[in-house]
């Protein structure tokens, strides 16, 4: 029973996550809206160019932009996963998160403003 639950959870997580190469391509093509859920002082210290800041402490899925797929990001993946769960629970369907966070983005040479 536990293995089935873990498989179900793992499957749900992989569908809702975006990998680095996919995010790089979507960012380059401007085919998604990147929402950074870190706090404003963290965002000011460096973020993906063009990202919007919607801190998790004030996160409201209803404020997410419509029209393009949404990618949530934080520092290391935890807060973006929390925001993802909130967005999905609120009925948002075209939303994913980048589990590598800004740490992963920076370590792989992603541009930062």
């Amino acid at each position: 029973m536990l293995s089935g639950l873990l498989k179900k959870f793992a499957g749900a997580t992989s569908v809702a996550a975006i990998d680095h190469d996919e995010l790089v391509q979507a960012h380059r093509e401007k085919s998604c809206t990147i929402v950074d859920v870190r706090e404003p002082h963290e965002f000011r210290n460096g973020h993906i160019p063009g990202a919007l800041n919607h801190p998790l402490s004030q996160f409201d899925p209803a404020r997410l932009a419509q029209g393009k797929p949404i990618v949530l990001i934080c520092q290391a993946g935890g807060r973006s996963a929390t925001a993802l769960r909130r967005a999905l629970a609120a009925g948002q369907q075209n939303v994913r998160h980048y589990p590598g966070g800004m740490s992963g983005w920076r370590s792989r040479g992603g541009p930062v403003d």
Side-chain angles (χ1 to χ4, degrees), residues 54 58-66 70 83 86-92:
H54 293 287
Q58 303 167 22
F59 187 75
D60 178 359
R63 289 182 44 220
L64 294 173
Q66 301 296 314
I70 297 165
R86 289 182 189 175
L88 293 173
Q92 296 279 351

Side-chain angles (χ1 to χ4, degrees), residues 18-75:
I18 186 170
D19 69 32
H20 182 78
D21 293 335
E22 194 176 1
L23 179 55
V24 168
Q25 181 176 352
H27 180 254
R28 184 180 322 116
E29 295 172 354
K30 296 180 173 41
S31 62
C32 71
T33 300
I34 299 171
V35 176
D36 192 319
V37 298
R38 296 175 300 153
E39 294 303 310
H41 69 278
E42 295 172 285
F43 185 80
R44 281 190 301 272
N45 287 330
H47 56 272
I48 295 176
L52 305 175
N53 187 217
H54 293 287
L56 184 61
S57 63
Q58 303 167 22
F59 187 75
D60 178 359
R63 289 182 44 220
L64 294 173
Q66 301 296 314
K68 288 184 182 179
I70 297 165
V71 177
L72 303 168
I73 190 168
C74 62
Q75 187 60 37

